[in-house]
Amino acid sequence: MHYTFDIERGNFADAGQASSSVKRTLKQLGVAPANIRRAVVALFEAEINAVAHAYGGTIDVDIDGSKIVMVVADQGPGIPDLDAAMQEGWSTASAKVREMGYGAGMGLPNIKKNTDDLKIDTKVGVGTTVTMTIYLA
Amino acid sequence: MTIKEIARLVDGVIVGAPADDSYDVEKAFASDLMSDVLRFSMDETVLISGLCNNQTMRTSEMADLRVVVIGRDKQPDAEMLELAEELDITLIKSKFSVFKISGILYEAGIQPLY
Ligand SMILES: Nc1ncnc2c1ncn2[C@@H]1O[C@H](COP(=O)(O)OP(=O)(O)OP(=O)(O)O)[C@@H](O)[C@H]1O
Ligand SMILES: [Mg+2]
């Protein structure tokens, strides 16, 4: 099964709707709660990053019997130092983003922790694509 | 501890989803930073937060939280209340600070998440 969603830049009123919708779908499919939690925490963090740090983007989710593959792609500013960004507590979140409840610098570490496979393609001035895989063993 | 007991202790008002009397709260975690909340499993846990917006609800949804105490007399708007109902999350509005709420619940036997 394939699902796509659009993410809107800076729209914190609606941010998280795609992750919410994926959560409902995974529940309906009878995926184990622990795997649902891992998938939606990772997806939500990536969705929020696209809203907060980039200019919105798209989400593609593929679910089959053995795995969930989630791709969050944006045409944002890219991440200049990915190793630094992966560190707990590292954040460039703006004042507005902090007001919304983000900027702990825990999003990317949370994504890493909750996924079985993580690939981040990022290029300054071009954008960031985060590919997250959860195996449903 | 039941949700209603927590509401009583923090002199709070229950809004959003109705309190589920069968839900037993044993632990608490206090944060205004949503990614901090998503680091942990929130089983049988109440979130205490000064953040009062849609993102508090979305984060609670992803974390499988059932109850959130909103401190500092912050008022959820209509959209947030609607989300809380839809997501079956009970909100307890309290006039107390997050620190005071935490102290009261700690004293009453609620355990820190870690
Ligand atoms: N899609 C993105 N586009 C551009 N920069 C990004 C993107 N995602 C993350 N970053 C950069 O990496 C940093 C760390 O991201 P991370 O998600 O770990 O923390 P945060 O978003 O700042 O705070 P938190 O996720 O804890 O609310 C961000 O502050 C930002 O500088
Ligand atoms: Mg983030």
Side-chain angles (χ1 to χ4, degrees):
Chain A
M1 264 154 301
H2 182 88
Y3 304 87
T4 56
F5 306 88
D6 286 323
I7 316 170
E8 214 181 304
R9 176 183 194 173
N11 183 346
F12 282 99
D14 293 339
Q17 278 184 1
S19 302
S20 175
S21 164
V22 168
K23 183 174 186 182
R24 279 194 302 275
T25 301
L26 293 176
K27 261 191 189 165
Q28 276 161 15
L29 291 172
V31 172
N35 284 330
I36 295 180
R37 184 175 187 281
R38 290 200 299 139
V40 301
V41 166
L43 182 59
F44 181 69
E45 292 283 14
E47 180 179 1
I48 295 296
N49 278 351
V51 174
H53 307 299
Y55 317 140
T58 55
I59 298 180
D60 284 275
V61 179
D62 278 287
I63 306 166
D64 66 30
S66 67
K67 64 181 184 308
I68 308 168
V69 181
M70 305 174 288
V71 181
V72 179
D74 68 61
Q75 290 79 44
I79 306 174
D81 186 345
L82 186 58
D83 286 338
M86 292 304 298
Q87 300 298 312
E88 294 190 358
W90 199 89
S91 174
T92 64
S94 65
K96 187 200 167 201
V97 169
R98 285 175 197 278
E99 230 168 75
M100 290 298 126
Y102 299 98
M106 288 308 304
L108 290 171
N110 280 347
I111 293 173
K112 175 92 194 143
K113 197 171 75 187
N114 283 289
T115 51
D116 296 311
D117 252 346
L118 171 64
K119 194 164 132 259
I120 300 178
D121 294 305
T122 186
K123 203 165 174 224
V124 172
V126 178
T128 302
T129 300
V130 181
T131 305
M132 302 165 284
T133 306
I134 306 267
Y135 293 108
L136 299 173
Chain B
M1 189 182 291
T2 64
I3 293 172
K4 281 179 186 146
E5 178 67 7
I6 291 174
R8 195 185 63 76
L9 285 169
V10 302
D11 198 15
V13 176
I14 290 177
V15 292
D20 174 356
D21 290 326
S22 69
Y23 191 68
D24 181 39
V25 178
E26 297 199 336
K27 295 169 281 184
F29 183 68
S31 184
D32 290 355
L33 287 168
M34 296 300 103
S35 294
D36 213 17
V37 176
L38 293 172
R39 285 161 67 197
F40 309 102
S41 161
M42 291 282 163
D43 289 344
E44 299 173 318
T45 303
V46 56
L47 173 65
I48 306 164
S49 189
L51 187 79
C52 182
N53 64 24
N54 284 3
Q55 292 309 310
T56 319
M57 293 298 92
R58 286 296 175 208
T59 301
S60 300
E61 175 189 11
M62 303 310 152
D64 293 320
L65 276 157
R66 299 281 308 278
V67 53
V68 181
V69 180
I70 306 282
R72 299 190 216 135
D73 205 20
K74 295 254 171 116
Q75 300 300 322
D77 64 15
E79 205 183 328
M80 179 172 166
L81 290 175
E82 212 175 288
L83 258 181
E85 269 173 58
E86 183 191 314
L87 300 172
D88 200 21
I89 297 167
T90 303
L91 299 177
I92 301 172
K93 290 193 300 179
S94 171
K95 289 194 166 63
F96 299 161
S97 69
V98 167
F99 179 75
K100 183 164 175 176
I101 293 164
S102 303
I104 290 170
L105 295 184
Y106 185 84
E107 204 167 40
I110 297 286
Q111 295 296 306
L113 187 60
Y114 73 94

